[in-house]
Amino acid sequence: MPDPTREELKQWDRTLVWHAFTQMAEYEPLVIQRAEGCTLIDIEGNRYLDGTSSLWCNIHGHRHPKLDEAVRRQLDRVAHVTNLGASNPTTIQLAKRLVDLAPPGLEHVFFSDDGATAVEVALKMAFQYWRQCANPQPEKNWYVAFDDAYHGDTLGSVSVGGVERFHAMFKPLLFKTLRVPAPNPYRVPPGVGRENARDYYLGELEEVLAADHPRIAAVVIEPLVQAAAGMIVHPPGFLRGVRDLTRRYGVLLVADEVAVGMGRTGRMFACEHEEVTPDLLCLAKGLTGGYLPLAATLATDAIWRAFLGTYAESRAFFHGHTYGGNPLGAAVALATLEVFDDEQTLAGLPPKIARLAGHLARIAELPQVGDVRQCGLIAGIELVRDRATKEPYAWQERLGLRVCDRARREGVLLRPLGNVIVIMPPLAITLDELDRICLAVERGIRAAPEAPGVAATDGNGTRPAVVERGASAP
Ligand SMILES: Cc1ncc(COP(=O)(O)O)c(C=O)c1O
């Protein structure tokens, strides 16, 4: 069989492949054929800087020799072993490494394969825990989640998610979740300022916990940064406050570090910034350096022990995924952690974080920019029609997409969250590359409002951006 032509590939991509979060009637193919470091190369030979880490997952760059080699070496042993009642040395070593690195007290690892499944696992573990712990409280089967939260697209994850535009339709399928406002220091209610935002939002959470804690199994949070909500950076001390409240009211804390874990915030895990150990911690995306689907839900010993017993007692965790803990994924995850050590990745971040901050300070002055926010190498730039009133651009104007389309013409691939431009490059990005990304964003913002009605597409091969409430799925 001859190789397909470029035109055939595009035609098949348009008509056979059903892309996630993409209006296929308008889809314009972007077909990436290969990559080098932080650069993606399409079938036409166009080169793009990977400004959002291939949907927030690439860490050390593409085709990193050590990561490539780890996959090849594992292939010479075995590609897949079930983890239902069996194991393999690579996955075992990864569990050991994760437990050594994770916030103290997280001592057991349940492997699955994606961010959404890591969260499903945490939700079901919390539920089953309350039925089987020493002092069972089976009526604890509600969850608390934040407005605009995003935890993935399976139904459990959607139940604790809060992105109206995408989740509203599925409401009849979802279980009960109590909502608290997203701790967004930019869009605070009247009478609340940046200085008291933390206390205000903790107060809102406490009200819910105080009223309903006997029914609440867990609070689910994206620690420090609510990513898909528009890279909302929580007020300092908020996570610590949530941990204290959940302990006070006897409720588990699930930290979803799928987006923010693996160094993005400047520390390996976001929870480290506030010395928090959650009861359950979810990892995926960057866990394999952005190479392969693998996820992990880490649990405390107290939770683990609630599941121990004889076979006849039926206390096992009744949940599993065929590819959970896949050895190829585990091999590249182990290599990802080794590269963190070899290249001193975390120690190399401060100059990059500072360079990004410098660019953001300049971009913040543009008249279309309402807010810039940053945590480590994660940045969100919120575009507004009116800085004084914070009035958003209508979603139909597709302003975020237009800015990103403009940046793409300069060889920078980005994906907005509605009217929020996201910069979230691989941690391996160089200062030069970071400059190119930020300058392309700046020029895109300057240019975009001058071209109203330009038909931007969802066609950068990722999920479409957004939305009425200023947020969208990642
Ligand atoms: C915080 C968070 N949790 C969960 C997920 C879902 O991950 P996945 O797409 O791998 O299922 C995402 C995806 O963006 C995320 O940002």
Side-chain angles (χ1 to χ4, degrees):
M1 273 255 291
D3 284 346
T5 64
R6 291 202 295 250
E7 279 322 304
E8 279 174 326
L9 283 173
K10 287 191 194 171
Q11 174 63 10
W12 296 344
D13 189 35
R14 240 187 240 110
T15 55
L16 306 182
V17 182
W18 195 336
H19 288 269
F21 277 92
T22 298
Q23 176 41 260
M24 294 309 298
E26 295 178 1
Y27 171 64
E28 270 309 313
L30 168 66
V31 186
I32 302 296
Q33 191 163 44
R34 59 202 174 85
E36 292 163 2
C38 298
T39 300
L40 301 165
I41 304 159
D42 72 12
I43 51 173
E44 321 280 354
N46 298 311
R47 301 170 71 87
Y48 306 99
L49 279 174
D50 190 358
T52 42
S53 306
S54 297
L55 211 55
W56 316 347
C57 65
N58 190 279
I59 300 283
H60 299 306
H62 298 268
R63 288 186 44 220
H64 190 290
K66 190 148 187 175
L67 272 55
D68 290 4
E69 179 53 27
V71 177
R72 289 196 191 100
R73 237 183 312 125
Q74 183 62 43
L75 272 175
D76 288 337
R77 296 175 186 154
V78 59
H80 182 57
V81 175
T82 178
N83 85 351
L84 276 65
S87 200
N88 75 92
T90 314
T91 307
I92 297 168
Q93 288 173 76
L94 177 61
K96 169 80 176 111
R97 239 0 226 119
L98 287 175
V99 165
D100 288 347
L101 278 172
L106 292 166
E107 294 175 12
H108 307 276
V109 186
F110 188 96
F111 287 108
S112 59
D113 37 29
D114 272 299
T117 57
V119 174
E120 294 286 340
V121 166
L123 298 174
K124 287 175 74 177
M125 269 184 183
F127 174 89
Q128 199 173 331
Y129 167 81
W130 286 115
R131 286 172 149 58
Q132 299 180 180
C133 60
N135 175 22
Q137 299 179 59
E139 61 289 352
K140 275 182 170 288
N141 53 23
W142 295 351
Y143 297 85
V144 176
F146 292 87
D147 285 341
D148 297 322
Y150 181 79
H151 299 287
D153 291 323
T154 55
L155 287 175
S157 303
V158 171
S159 294
V160 291
V163 182
E164 257 329 273
R165 180 162 149 93
F166 300 127
H167 295 167
M169 180 199 327
F170 298 109
K171 273 192 182 141
L173 303 178
L174 308 181
F175 56 71
K176 182 170 177 84
T177 298
L178 305 173
R179 298 269 154 211
V180 287
N184 182 351
Y186 177 57
R187 293 190 180 276
V188 285
V192 181
R194 282 190 188 265
E195 58 308 331
N196 60 350
R198 168 189 175 275
D199 293 345
Y200 167 77
Y201 288 115
L202 285 175
E204 293 284 304
L205 175 62
E206 178 156 18
E207 235 174 75
V208 171
L209 292 177
D212 284 317
H213 65 91
R215 298 297 317 269
I216 298 171
V219 171
V220 185
I221 190 170
E222 296 167 71
L224 300 200
V225 184
Q226 231 172 286
M231 299 302 162
I232 292 172
V233 179
H234 293 173
F238 183 74
L239 179 65
R240 178 75 256 164
V242 173
R243 176 70 282 192
D244 293 344
L245 285 174
T246 48
R247 281 211 203 292
R248 192 177 317 149
Y249 287 97
V251 164
L252 298 178
L253 179 63
V254 175
D256 174 356
E257 294 224 18
V258 167
V260 297
M262 307 305 293
R264 297 269 173 215
T265 64
R267 308 280 292 267
M268 186 61 88
F269 302 110
C271 283
E272 287 175 34
H273 289 268
E274 301 200 354
E275 293 177 12
V276 160
T277 296
D279 300 288
L280 293 154
L281 181 136
C282 306
L283 296 173
K285 288 193 184 276
L287 178 59
T288 60
Y291 265 54
L292 285 167
L294 182 76
T297 305
L298 279 68
T300 60
D301 198 50
I303 291 185
W304 159 272
R305 274 187 279 108
F307 289 75
L308 301 180
T310 63
Y311 180 80
E313 286 176 282
S314 280
R315 296 167 72 91
F317 183 44
F318 294 111
H319 186 102
H321 298 276
T322 301
Y323 285 106
N326 170 266
L328 288 173
V332 74
L334 270 175
T336 296
L337 294 172
E338 268 170 38
V339 173
F340 266 102
D341 287 342
D342 297 350
E343 298 182 3
Q344 288 293 290
T345 306
L346 293 178
L349 289 183
K352 301 180 190 184
I353 293 169
R355 182 73 72 104
L356 178 58
H359 283 292
L360 291 175
R362 200 181 59 254
I363 290 170
E365 298 304 315
L366 298 175
Q368 306 89 339
V369 174
D371 189 33
V372 297
R373 29 198 188 247
Q374 179 187 7
C375 180
L377 267 191
I378 302 172
I381 301 163
E382 182 163 342
L383 307 175
V384 289
R385 179 176 294 292
D386 184 327
R387 280 163 71 112
T389 63
K390 304 182 182 175
E391 180 196 343
Y393 286 97
W395 65 273
Q396 294 89 338
E397 292 185 62
R398 298 176 159 200
L399 195 71
L401 277 172
R402 278 166 33 208
V403 170
C404 294
D405 279 357
R406 174 70 170 61
R408 183 168 153 191
R409 279 188 255 144
E410 292 193 23
V412 172
L413 199 57
L414 296 166
R415 174 170 169 70
L417 291 161
N419 291 326
V420 177
I421 309 301
V422 174
I423 301 175
M424 192 159 164
L427 304 188
I429 199 86
T430 65
L431 292 176
D432 260 11
E433 290 168 331
L434 200 49
D435 290 346
R436 279 177 48 208
I437 292 172
C438 294
L439 291 171
V441 167
E442 183 177 351
R443 284 192 283 267
I445 295 172
R446 285 182 192 280
E450 291 159 19
V454 169
T457 68
D458 298 343
N460 56 6
T462 53
R463 300 175 191 180
V466 188
V467 194
E468 292 87 339
R469 298 168 71 198
S472 81

